[in-house]
Amino acid sequence: MDPPKEVTVPLTRRSLMDAAAARFGWRRAYGDTADVDALLTEQSETAYTAAADHATLATAKNTDVLTVQPCVLDARGRILADVLYLEGILAGARNRDLPSEVIEHLEDVVGHGHELTMLLAAAVRSTAASHTSSGS
């Protein structure tokens, strides 16, 4: 009797374990760069598919500077929370003496993340300034 064949499930169809892990906030780690690349590709495809009609919706919804402001504030808040979370990951990586390449990439991410939150804050301020200067 032949042994049963291994069944592989494409990354686009998550396993029950992956779904359960996501539900409880657990994350799977991948030790193979091909698996990481496939996961990153899937993540990008999912995000771009979900955002396919975003420009149309945003154009219809964001009719003046004050309707733009809450959207940018929400994005900034989420990004800031993620950057602060990543700072914790960076601190842990440093404390555990993880490879310097990992630490350097995390430092870049945290730095760029803070820069992005500052740019978003400037965009929010400009919505208020623009509204004030227009006399609306």
Side-chain angles (χ1 to χ4, degrees):
M1 179 181 254
D2 293 328
K5 291 186 178 185
E6 181 178 338
V7 176
T8 58
V9 177
L11 281 174
T12 54
R13 291 179 31 205
R14 296 185 326 175
S15 70
L16 181 58
M17 286 301 293
D18 288 338
R23 175 76 173 114
F24 292 106
W26 302 329
R27 300 292 180 253
R28 175 186 242 174
Y30 297 88
D32 182 279
T33 55
D35 290 342
V36 169
D37 287 340
L39 182 63
L40 292 171
T41 298
E42 177 190 0
Q43 190 179 55
S44 295
E45 288 172 355
T46 300
Y48 280 105
T49 298
D53 61 346
H54 178 72
T56 303
L57 294 172
T59 301
K61 179 181 174 187
N62 297 319
T63 57
D64 63 45
V65 294
L66 290 185
T67 58
V68 170
Q69 188 184 77
C71 302
V72 177
L73 276 170
D74 289 346
R76 182 187 181 273
R78 289 189 307 271
I79 292 168
L80 181 57
D82 286 344
V83 169
L84 295 175
Y85 176 75
L86 289 166
E87 274 188 350
I89 293 172
L90 172 59
R94 285 176 175 152
N95 290 339
R96 296 293 183 174
D97 293 322
L98 294 185
S100 61
E101 182 180 17
V102 172
I103 292 171
E104 289 169 11
H105 284 295
L106 287 170
E107 288 171 341
D108 289 345
V109 168
V110 168
H112 287 293
H114 280 297
E115 182 179 353
L116 180 56
T117 62
M118 289 186 298
L119 291 169
L120 289 165
V124 169
R125 286 185 191 97
S126 73
T127 61
S130 179
H131 175 73
T132 301
S133 68
S134 70
S136 298

